Amino acid sequence: MAGVQVHVDDTEVRAALERLHRFAESPAAAMKDAGEYMQRAVDDRFNAQQSPDGQAWAPNTPVTLLRKKNPRILHERAGSGLRGSIHYRASDTEMRQGTDRVYAAVHQFGAEQGAFGTTSRGAPIPWGDIPARPYLGFSADDSAEILQIMEDHIQQRWSQR
């Protein structure tokens, strides 16, 4: 996933993951459930047009609105583009969520006009400032939900013994 990666290291979730490793033969199922939850969380962020911490994304500029087919922020066509490219991978030790789109980091973190140089004609790349519109990452609610997913898997495995 070369586009963008955001590393989240939540102490409580990490402790639950360690318990999961002790009590479950394979934590992959819990990690998959966490990945599925985070896919829904990111989809909800695109629908609400807000960052993981609940901040509204910066609105599109009038110039951007003239160039776009869809007036919604970070939307162009349903199922394609940035939103449709976000996926997760789960293993016994981690869950990674991201995208391979090269422009993803610009939307996650923002970029100033000219941050990537100029065109052969001297125009700045990007041609204007692009505000950060974070879509990846954990909110406090996400952390609590993933912690609950792991605890549920621990309880399920413990009750099977």
Side-chain angles (χ1 to χ4, degrees):
M1 294 183 203
V4 64
Q5 292 183 16
V6 177
H7 178 78
V8 178
D9 189 6
D10 183 285
T11 305
E12 288 183 89
V13 171
R14 180 151 307 280
L17 181 57
E18 288 171 13
R19 285 192 307 280
L20 192 62
H21 276 282
R22 278 197 313 261
F23 295 115
E25 292 166 4
S26 173
M31 300 307 271
K32 182 179 183 292
D33 287 350
E36 291 294 325
Y37 168 79
M38 286 307 298
Q39 285 294 113
R40 289 189 307 275
V42 168
D43 200 46
D44 290 347
R45 289 183 196 129
F46 273 86
N47 287 335
Q49 300 182 91
Q50 65 184 25
S51 66
D53 65 4
Q55 295 291 316
W57 288 340
N60 288 321
T61 66
V63 172
T64 299
L65 289 171
L66 287 173
R67 299 174 77 164
K68 286 177 55 74
K69 296 176 181 127
N70 186 329
R72 291 186 51 84
I73 302 164
L74 297 183
H75 285 73
E76 197 56 27
R77 291 180 302 263
S80 65
L82 181 60
R83 183 179 188 170
S85 73
I86 299 168
H87 300 287
Y88 75 91
R89 290 186 205 144
S91 71
D92 280 352
T93 58
E94 66 182 6
M95 187 281 294
R96 290 179 178 241
Q97 184 182 41
T99 174
D100 60 358
R101 300 298 159 100
V102 295
Y103 57 85
V106 169
H107 291 300
Q108 177 80 17
F109 303 111
E112 292 182 2
Q113 180 181 24
F116 305 115
T118 58
T119 66
S120 61
R121 294 185 176 175
I125 304 171
W127 55 270
D129 291 343
I130 299 174
R133 295 181 176 111
Y135 48 90
L136 294 176
F138 276 18
S139 68
D141 289 344
D142 296 335
S143 183
E145 183 64 28
I146 289 173
L147 181 61
Q148 187 61 54
I149 288 168
M150 291 184 180
E151 293 294 343
D152 289 348
H153 277 268
I154 292 168
Q155 289 297 324
Q156 179 183 7
R157 185 66 184 146
W158 189 255
S159 67
Q160 292 174 353
R161 288 184 174 207

